[in-house]
Amino acid sequence: MKNRSKKNFWRALFAVAVFAGTGIAAQAQESPKEEDFFKIMRISSPEGTLLEVGGLTVLPNGDVGVSTRRGDIFIVENPTSARPHFRKFASGLHEVLGLAYKDGALYCAQRGELTKLTDTNNDGKADLFQTVYAWPLSGNYHEYSFGPKIAPDGSFFVSTNLGFPPSWWHAISMVPWRGWLLHITEDGKMEPWATGLRSPAGLGMIDGEVFYSENQGDWVASGGIWHLKKGTFAAHPGGLRWSNRPESPVKMTIEQIHAKVDPRNDTDARGEAVKPENIEGAKFNTMFELKKDFPEMRLPAVWLPHGIMGISNSEILKIPDGHFGPFEGQLLIGDQGQSKIMRVMLEKVNDEYQGAVIDFRSGFQSGVLRMAWAKDRSLFVGETNRGWGSAGEANEGLQRLVWNNKVPFEMRTVRAMPDGFEIEFTMPVDKKSAEDLASYAVESFSYKYHAVYGSPPVNLQKCVVKGVKVSDDGMKARIVVDNLRQSYIHTISLNGVRAKENYYELVHPTAYYTLNNIPTGQKLAMGEVSTKRSAAAKTGSVANAPARATAKASTAKQAAASKKVPTFEDVKPLLAKNTCTACHAADKKQVGPAFKDIAKRKYTSKQIVALIHNPKPENWPDYATPMPPMPQVPTDEALKIADWINSLQ
């Protein structure tokens, strides 16, 4: 018997035993995983080539343009073949973090300008470099520039990072239009479009409208996706330094923001952050509360809970018609730190975007920064991790994501309802499991809006699922939920729902819905819904929910962990799952200290667990980026990681 056959045999035998123990009549098959539907394929580059992909664009003939952080631009010919050919189109540019094609030319965002590159003599190399528009630079290392994205009228959008001065605790706009979205025309005219941007690495032009992704940081509680209309303020007040200029469409001021924030949650004049131990008991605002005073403030269309839906969010890309099966029309968003791609479902309620995010495909070799669609409907994925670690161990690369035309059992969409949510599936559900209230769980939480780096989940509440109505065809389940809260993130878990065919579990059972507005309309009467709750079924506790400040570790698990010191192979999946490797390595300094350096501090394992859940950045003053609280890491997993760290002494 081949190894794979043996593995499947024992899986099937185990499933028989499990189902026999629960009395559930089902076929003994393990539920498929994401890799059973979407295959990651590597695109080999010439030896010695460091791609460190900063931009991707597909040309009309199917070739793909690749820009790198080291200033090169390649044209990859026959990129989906077994032997693609890399041709260097340009070099000597300054950190190209975006690439677009228009009318026979390539356009890229360098650190300080939008550049047009043309091959005028058709020799396969750029020979004409034209500055479309140049913006100011201070020389600060953190002043990255991203784009362009091309609007339907042929104009361009570019986003600019804030600077991060040494010894300061928060980012600032050191020169004009840093922390802004810039709208630039072909003839070199620029109009400031929106501000409140901190580290806007992911732009997306979705149906003619501009969206961007933001990363957690000071004033930014967690990653998220914002819709940027002209005159919008997103989150970080740094760019408001220039709002008094006549060309600024935003009229808010930094002083107005500071006046609304408790001084214990704010920064002093030098940008020195109040130490974490001094903010206990401080009052805090949410963005929703401040929006009442500042109409220009735009709430995220979708929050991306930090540590769960990425830690360093990147490109936003729409799935075109005919691509990736049931998910066409939805969005994909990459993440550098977790080396994965998430899926986003948007809808408009009260003329404002909102929606849900759910995991899609993990396991890329490096940090996912850029994505572009190939002619064969596969997805090019450009990768890098320099300066900010990633779960994938490679430093750079170019890969391709290919769908095998098999449909996974997933939540296709999640829609807000006046009294709960409607979940549409990719295939019919088993009605007995779907009509059982114990198959569902909903919790809600929010984030603080303050100058401190990131925010833990706050105002946590469980939302009781009171009823469920499953459609006749089994493709939809509408759940009636108590205590819906406007502007809150609602964690929706369907751990007990099974597919009609093969009784499969959902590939990804948890979605995070940002409820900016609760729709009006007809609510379901309780007589229309099932209110059955099976005592034998799972309780539907929300997997990996941020609302779980700590997960109670069982005595048995703790005892087992104490008997044997974990090896690196034991903890490697936990380090990746909980994003530890995005900032830490075993024996070298990255964003955070090496695990060996932590071991030298001789903390007890319980102390390390406490510091994972509630870090003390003042313990590591030589590191510019403070570690955010990670209360979502289960205590038993944190303890196992801590035991391994201490074994490095």
PDB file of all heavy atoms in Angstrom, residues 135-160:
ATOM      1  N   TRP A 135       6.836  64.203  -5.927  1.00  0.00           N
ATOM      2  CA  TRP A 135       6.355  64.713  -4.648  1.00  0.00           C
ATOM      3  C   TRP A 135       7.540  64.867  -3.696  1.00  0.00           C
ATOM      4  O   TRP A 135       8.593  64.250  -3.881  1.00  0.00           O
ATOM      5  CB  TRP A 135       5.292  63.781  -4.053  1.00  0.00           C
ATOM      6  CG  TRP A 135       5.652  62.330  -4.121  1.00  0.00           C
ATOM      7  CD1 TRP A 135       6.443  61.622  -3.262  1.00  0.00           C
ATOM      8  CD2 TRP A 135       5.247  61.401  -5.133  1.00  0.00           C
ATOM      9  NE1 TRP A 135       6.553  60.315  -3.665  1.00  0.00           N
ATOM     10  CE2 TRP A 135       5.827  60.147  -4.814  1.00  0.00           C
ATOM     11  CE3 TRP A 135       4.449  61.489  -6.277  1.00  0.00           C
ATOM     12  CZ2 TRP A 135       5.627  59.023  -5.587  1.00  0.00           C
ATOM     13  CZ3 TRP A 135       4.253  60.371  -7.053  1.00  0.00           C
ATOM     14  CH2 TRP A 135       4.831  59.142  -6.715  1.00  0.00           C
ATOM     15  N   PRO A 136       7.389  65.671  -2.643  1.00  0.00           N
ATOM     16  CA  PRO A 136       8.522  65.934  -1.746  1.00  0.00           C
ATOM     17  C   PRO A 136       8.942  64.685  -0.962  1.00  0.00           C
ATOM     18  O   PRO A 136       8.140  63.795  -0.680  1.00  0.00           O
ATOM     19  CB  PRO A 136       7.982  67.008  -0.794  1.00  0.00           C
ATOM     20  CG  PRO A 136       6.824  67.613  -1.511  1.00  0.00           C
ATOM     21  CD  PRO A 136       6.230  66.512  -2.332  1.00  0.00           C
ATOM     22  N   LEU A 137      10.221  64.651  -0.607  1.00  0.00           N
ATOM     23  CA  LEU A 137      10.789  63.616   0.257  1.00  0.00           C
ATOM     24  C   LEU A 137      11.621  64.290   1.342  1.00  0.00           C
ATOM     25  O   LEU A 137      12.268  65.301   1.096  1.00  0.00           O
ATOM     26  CB  LEU A 137      11.698  62.675  -0.537  1.00  0.00           C
ATOM     27  CG  LEU A 137      11.064  61.664  -1.492  1.00  0.00           C
ATOM     28  CD1 LEU A 137      12.152  60.979  -2.308  1.00  0.00           C
ATOM     29  CD2 LEU A 137      10.252  60.637  -0.728  1.00  0.00           C
ATOM     30  N   SER A 138      11.620  63.702   2.531  1.00  0.00           N
ATOM     31  CA  SER A 138      12.504  64.193   3.585  1.00  0.00           C
ATOM     32  C   SER A 138      13.771  63.353   3.688  1.00  0.00           C
ATOM     33  O   SER A 138      14.751  63.753   4.292  1.00  0.00           O
ATOM     34  CB  SER A 138      11.784  64.163   4.942  1.00  0.00           C
ATOM     35  OG  SER A 138      11.675  62.826   5.417  1.00  0.00           O
ATOM     36  N   GLY A 139      13.723  62.149   3.111  1.00  0.00           N
ATOM     37  CA  GLY A 139      14.831  61.209   3.233  1.00  0.00           C
ATOM     38  C   GLY A 139      14.627  60.172   4.317  1.00  0.00           C
ATOM     39  O   GLY A 139      15.447  59.272   4.488  1.00  0.00           O
ATOM     40  N   ASN A 140      13.511  60.252   5.034  1.00  0.00           N
ATOM     41  CA  ASN A 140      13.232  59.285   6.091  1.00  0.00           C
ATOM     42  C   ASN A 140      13.001  57.897   5.486  1.00  0.00           C
ATOM     43  O   ASN A 140      12.367  57.757   4.441  1.00  0.00           O
ATOM     44  CB  ASN A 140      12.013  59.724   6.897  1.00  0.00           C
ATOM     45  CG  ASN A 140      11.708  58.789   8.050  1.00  0.00           C
ATOM     46  OD1 ASN A 140      10.909  57.868   7.929  1.00  0.00           O
ATOM     47  ND2 ASN A 140      12.366  59.016   9.189  1.00  0.00           N
ATOM     48  N   TYR A 141      13.494  56.860   6.182  1.00  0.00           N
ATOM     49  CA  TYR A 141      13.437  55.494   5.654  1.00  0.00           C
ATOM     50  C   TYR A 141      12.014  54.993   5.439  1.00  0.00           C
ATOM     51  O   TYR A 141      11.764  54.102   4.615  1.00  0.00           O
ATOM     52  CB  TYR A 141      14.157  54.536   6.616  1.00  0.00           C
ATOM     53  CG  TYR A 141      13.304  54.086   7.794  1.00  0.00           C
ATOM     54  CD1 TYR A 141      12.648  52.856   7.776  1.00  0.00           C
ATOM     55  CD2 TYR A 141      13.127  54.909   8.911  1.00  0.00           C
ATOM     56  CE1 TYR A 141      11.854  52.452   8.830  1.00  0.00           C
ATOM     57  CE2 TYR A 141      12.340  54.508   9.967  1.00  0.00           C
ATOM     58  CZ  TYR A 141      11.703  53.287   9.927  1.00  0.00           C
ATOM     59  OH  TYR A 141      10.907  52.889  10.974  1.00  0.00           O
ATOM     60  N   HIS A 142      11.047  55.557   6.169  1.00  0.00           N
ATOM     61  CA  HIS A 142       9.683  55.023   6.177  1.00  0.00           C
ATOM     62  C   HIS A 142       8.784  55.669   5.123  1.00  0.00           C
ATOM     63  O   HIS A 142       7.607  55.364   5.052  1.00  0.00           O
ATOM     64  CB  HIS A 142       9.085  55.230   7.575  1.00  0.00           C
ATOM     65  CG  HIS A 142       8.005  54.262   7.939  1.00  0.00           C
ATOM     66  ND1 HIS A 142       6.678  54.612   8.014  1.00  0.00           N
ATOM     67  CD2 HIS A 142       8.052  52.947   8.248  1.00  0.00           C
ATOM     68  CE1 HIS A 142       5.956  53.570   8.382  1.00  0.00           C
ATOM     69  NE2 HIS A 142       6.765  52.536   8.527  1.00  0.00           N
ATOM     70  N   GLU A 143       9.351  56.528   4.282  1.00  0.00           N
ATOM     71  CA  GLU A 143       8.540  57.254   3.309  1.00  0.00           C
ATOM     72  C   GLU A 143       8.383  56.454   2.008  1.00  0.00           C
ATOM     73  O   GLU A 143       8.807  56.870   0.932  1.00  0.00           O
ATOM     74  CB  GLU A 143       9.128  58.641   3.043  1.00  0.00           C
ATOM     75  CG  GLU A 143       8.959  59.578   4.227  1.00  0.00           C
ATOM     76  CD  GLU A 143       9.505  60.967   3.967  1.00  0.00           C
ATOM     77  OE1 GLU A 143      10.339  61.131   3.043  1.00  0.00           O
ATOM     78  OE2 GLU A 143       9.115  61.889   4.692  1.00  0.00           O
ATOM     79  N   TYR A 144       7.743  55.301   2.113  1.00  0.00           N
ATOM     80  CA  TYR A 144       7.462  54.482   0.941  1.00  0.00           C
ATOM     81  C   TYR A 144       6.350  55.139   0.110  1.00  0.00           C
ATOM     82  O   TYR A 144       5.538  55.896   0.621  1.00  0.00           O
ATOM     83  CB  TYR A 144       7.024  53.079   1.356  1.00  0.00           C
ATOM     84  CG  TYR A 144       7.976  52.385   2.297  1.00  0.00           C
ATOM     85  CD1 TYR A 144       7.665  52.232   3.646  1.00  0.00           C
ATOM     86  CD2 TYR A 144       9.193  51.888   1.843  1.00  0.00           C
ATOM     87  CE1 TYR A 144       8.541  51.595   4.518  1.00  0.00           C
ATOM     88  CE2 TYR A 144      10.075  51.246   2.709  1.00  0.00           C
ATOM     89  CZ  TYR A 144       9.739  51.108   4.046  1.00  0.00           C
ATOM     90  OH  TYR A 144      10.605  50.485   4.906  1.00  0.00           O
ATOM     91  N   SER A 145       6.322  54.789  -1.170  1.00  0.00           N
ATOM     92  CA  SER A 145       5.256  55.260  -2.060  1.00  0.00           C
ATOM     93  C   SER A 145       4.731  54.064  -2.842  1.00  0.00           C
ATOM     94  O   SER A 145       5.507  53.206  -3.271  1.00  0.00           O
ATOM     95  CB  SER A 145       5.789  56.328  -3.014  1.00  0.00           C
ATOM     96  OG  SER A 145       6.322  57.428  -2.298  1.00  0.00           O
ATOM     97  N   PHE A 146       3.414  54.022  -3.055  1.00  0.00           N
ATOM     98  CA  PHE A 146       2.782  52.838  -3.639  1.00  0.00           C
ATOM     99  C   PHE A 146       1.894  53.234  -4.820  1.00  0.00           C
ATOM    100  O   PHE A 146       1.224  54.253  -4.803  1.00  0.00           O
ATOM    101  CB  PHE A 146       1.928  52.118  -2.588  1.00  0.00           C
ATOM    102  CG  PHE A 146       2.665  51.766  -1.331  1.00  0.00           C
ATOM    103  CD1 PHE A 146       2.566  52.557  -0.194  1.00  0.00           C
ATOM    104  CD2 PHE A 146       3.484  50.648  -1.281  1.00  0.00           C
ATOM    105  CE1 PHE A 146       3.237  52.236   0.968  1.00  0.00           C
ATOM    106  CE2 PHE A 146       4.174  50.321  -0.120  1.00  0.00           C
ATOM    107  CZ  PHE A 146       4.050  51.119   1.007  1.00  0.00           C
ATOM    108  N   GLY A 147       1.861  52.353  -5.815  1.00  0.00           N
ATOM    109  CA  GLY A 147       0.988  52.566  -6.959  1.00  0.00           C
ATOM    110  C   GLY A 147       1.791  52.517  -8.258  1.00  0.00           C
ATOM    111  O   GLY A 147       2.943  52.081  -8.275  1.00  0.00           O
ATOM    112  N   PRO A 148       1.188  52.970  -9.351  1.00  0.00           N
ATOM    113  CA  PRO A 148      -0.134  53.598  -9.403  1.00  0.00           C
ATOM    114  C   PRO A 148      -1.244  52.592  -9.677  1.00  0.00           C
ATOM    115  O   PRO A 148      -0.997  51.479 -10.141  1.00  0.00           O
ATOM    116  CB  PRO A 148       0.018  54.535 -10.593  1.00  0.00           C
ATOM    117  CG  PRO A 148       0.919  53.757 -11.529  1.00  0.00           C
ATOM    118  CD  PRO A 148       1.887  53.023 -10.649  1.00  0.00           C
ATOM    119  N   LYS A 149      -2.475  53.024  -9.394  1.00  0.00           N
ATOM    120  CA  LYS A 149      -3.671  52.368  -9.890  1.00  0.00           C
ATOM    121  C   LYS A 149      -4.306  53.306 -10.902  1.00  0.00           C
ATOM    122  O   LYS A 149      -4.360  54.525 -10.691  1.00  0.00           O
ATOM    123  CB  LYS A 149      -4.643  52.046  -8.756  1.00  0.00           C
ATOM    124  CG  LYS A 149      -4.134  50.966  -7.818  1.00  0.00           C
ATOM    125  CD  LYS A 149      -3.948  49.631  -8.520  1.00  0.00           C
ATOM    126  CE  LYS A 149      -3.405  48.563  -7.592  1.00  0.00           C
ATOM    127  NZ  LYS A 149      -3.147  47.292  -8.303  1.00  0.00           N
ATOM    128  N   ILE A 150      -4.779  52.742 -11.994  1.00  0.00           N
ATOM    129  CA  ILE A 150      -5.304  53.557 -13.088  1.00  0.00           C
ATOM    130  C   ILE A 150      -6.825  53.644 -12.978  1.00  0.00           C
ATOM    131  O   ILE A 150      -7.519  52.632 -12.898  1.00  0.00           O
ATOM    132  CB  ILE A 150      -4.890  52.972 -14.445  1.00  0.00           C
ATOM    133  CG1 ILE A 150      -3.355  52.917 -14.538  1.00  0.00           C
ATOM    134  CG2 ILE A 150      -5.463  53.799 -15.589  1.00  0.00           C
ATOM    135  CD1 ILE A 150      -2.831  52.290 -15.815  1.00  0.00           C
ATOM    136  N   ALA A 151      -7.343  54.879 -12.965  1.00  0.00           N
ATOM    137  CA  ALA A 151      -8.779  55.138 -12.886  1.00  0.00           C
ATOM    138  C   ALA A 151      -9.414  54.932 -14.262  1.00  0.00           C
ATOM    139  O   ALA A 151      -8.720  54.884 -15.288  1.00  0.00           O
ATOM    140  CB  ALA A 151      -9.017  56.561 -12.386  1.00  0.00           C
ATOM    141  N   PRO A 152     -10.740  54.812 -14.311  1.00  0.00           N
ATOM    142  CA  PRO A 152     -11.406  54.615 -15.612  1.00  0.00           C
ATOM    143  C   PRO A 152     -11.108  55.708 -16.635  1.00  0.00           C
ATOM    144  O   PRO A 152     -11.129  55.445 -17.841  1.00  0.00           O
ATOM    145  CB  PRO A 152     -12.889  54.603 -15.229  1.00  0.00           C
ATOM    146  CG  PRO A 152     -12.914  54.101 -13.825  1.00  0.00           C
ATOM    147  CD  PRO A 152     -11.681  54.679 -13.190  1.00  0.00           C
ATOM    148  N   ASP A 153     -10.814  56.942 -16.181  1.00  0.00           N
ATOM    149  CA  ASP A 153     -10.513  58.029 -17.123  1.00  0.00           C
ATOM    150  C   ASP A 153      -9.045  58.083 -17.514  1.00  0.00           C
ATOM    151  O   ASP A 153      -8.611  59.006 -18.214  1.00  0.00           O
ATOM    152  CB  ASP A 153     -10.950  59.379 -16.543  1.00  0.00           C
ATOM    153  CG  ASP A 153     -10.159  59.776 -15.295  1.00  0.00           C
ATOM    154  OD1 ASP A 153      -9.295  58.995 -14.854  1.00  0.00           O
ATOM    155  OD2 ASP A 153     -10.429  60.864 -14.752  1.00  0.00           O
ATOM    156  N   GLY A 154      -8.248  57.104 -17.065  1.00  0.00           N
ATOM    157  CA  GLY A 154      -6.838  57.053 -17.424  1.00  0.00           C
ATOM    158  C   GLY A 154      -5.915  57.789 -16.486  1.00  0.00           C
ATOM    159  O   GLY A 154      -4.685  57.757 -16.670  1.00  0.00           O
ATOM    160  N   SER A 155      -6.450  58.456 -15.483  1.00  0.00           N
ATOM    161  CA  SER A 155      -5.605  59.130 -14.488  1.00  0.00           C
ATOM    162  C   SER A 155      -5.086  58.108 -13.481  1.00  0.00           C
ATOM    163  O   SER A 155      -5.457  56.934 -13.508  1.00  0.00           O
ATOM    164  CB  SER A 155      -6.381  60.246 -13.793  1.00  0.00           C
ATOM    165  OG  SER A 155      -7.529  59.723 -13.134  1.00  0.00           O
ATOM    166  N   PHE A 156      -4.231  58.573 -12.559  1.00  0.00           N
ATOM    167  CA  PHE A 156      -3.516  57.667 -11.666  1.00  0.00           C
ATOM    168  C   PHE A 156      -3.778  58.020 -10.201  1.00  0.00           C
ATOM    169  O   PHE A 156      -3.982  59.184  -9.845  1.00  0.00           O
ATOM    170  CB  PHE A 156      -2.009  57.756 -11.920  1.00  0.00           C
ATOM    171  CG  PHE A 156      -1.608  57.552 -13.351  1.00  0.00           C
ATOM    172  CD1 PHE A 156      -1.432  58.646 -14.191  1.00  0.00           C
ATOM    173  CD2 PHE A 156      -1.409  56.284 -13.869  1.00  0.00           C
ATOM    174  CE1 PHE A 156      -1.061  58.476 -15.514  1.00  0.00           C
ATOM    175  CE2 PHE A 156      -1.033  56.102 -15.188  1.00  0.00           C
ATOM    176  CZ  PHE A 156      -0.856  57.200 -16.016  1.00  0.00           C
ATOM    177  N   PHE A 157      -3.693  56.987  -9.352  1.00  0.00           N
ATOM    178  CA  PHE A 157      -3.721  57.178  -7.904  1.00  0.00           C
ATOM    179  C   PHE A 157      -2.451  56.575  -7.305  1.00  0.00           C
ATOM    180  O   PHE A 157      -2.061  55.454  -7.645  1.00  0.00           O
ATOM    181  CB  PHE A 157      -4.952  56.530  -7.280  1.00  0.00           C
ATOM    182  CG  PHE A 157      -6.218  57.311  -7.495  1.00  0.00           C
ATOM    183  CD1 PHE A 157      -7.082  57.003  -8.536  1.00  0.00           C
ATOM    184  CD2 PHE A 157      -6.548  58.374  -6.656  1.00  0.00           C
ATOM    185  CE1 PHE A 157      -8.239  57.722  -8.735  1.00  0.00           C
ATOM    186  CE2 PHE A 157      -7.702  59.104  -6.843  1.00  0.00           C
ATOM    187  CZ  PHE A 157      -8.552  58.783  -7.893  1.00  0.00           C
ATOM    188  N   VAL A 158      -1.819  57.349  -6.422  1.00  0.00           N
ATOM    189  CA  VAL A 158      -0.610  56.922  -5.719  1.00  0.00           C
ATOM    190  C   VAL A 158      -0.808  57.204  -4.235  1.00  0.00           C
ATOM    191  O   VAL A 158      -1.379  58.244  -3.867  1.00  0.00           O
ATOM    192  CB  VAL A 158       0.631  57.682  -6.237  1.00  0.00           C
ATOM    193  CG1 VAL A 158       1.853  57.390  -5.365  1.00  0.00           C
ATOM    194  CG2 VAL A 158       0.927  57.308  -7.687  1.00  0.00           C
ATOM    195  N   SER A 159      -0.360  56.302  -3.365  1.00  0.00           N
ATOM    196  CA  SER A 159      -0.457  56.513  -1.918  1.00  0.00           C
ATOM    197  C   SER A 159       0.942  56.678  -1.328  1.00  0.00           C
ATOM    198  O   SER A 159       1.906  56.091  -1.817  1.00  0.00           O
ATOM    199  CB  SER A 159      -1.181  55.352  -1.234  1.00  0.00           C
ATOM    200  OG  SER A 159      -0.522  54.121  -1.480  1.00  0.00           O
ATOM    201  N   THR A 160       1.033  57.479  -0.258  1.00  0.00           N
ATOM    202  CA  THR A 160       2.335  57.790   0.334  1.00  0.00           C
ATOM    203  C   THR A 160       2.352  57.474   1.825  1.00  0.00           C
ATOM    204  O   THR A 160       1.425  57.795   2.552  1.00  0.00           O
ATOM    205  CB  THR A 160       2.675  59.280   0.132  1.00  0.00           C
ATOM    206  OG1 THR A 160       1.718  60.101   0.803  1.00  0.00           O
ATOM    207  CG2 THR A 160       2.701  59.642  -1.345  1.00  0.00           C
TER     208      THR A 160
END
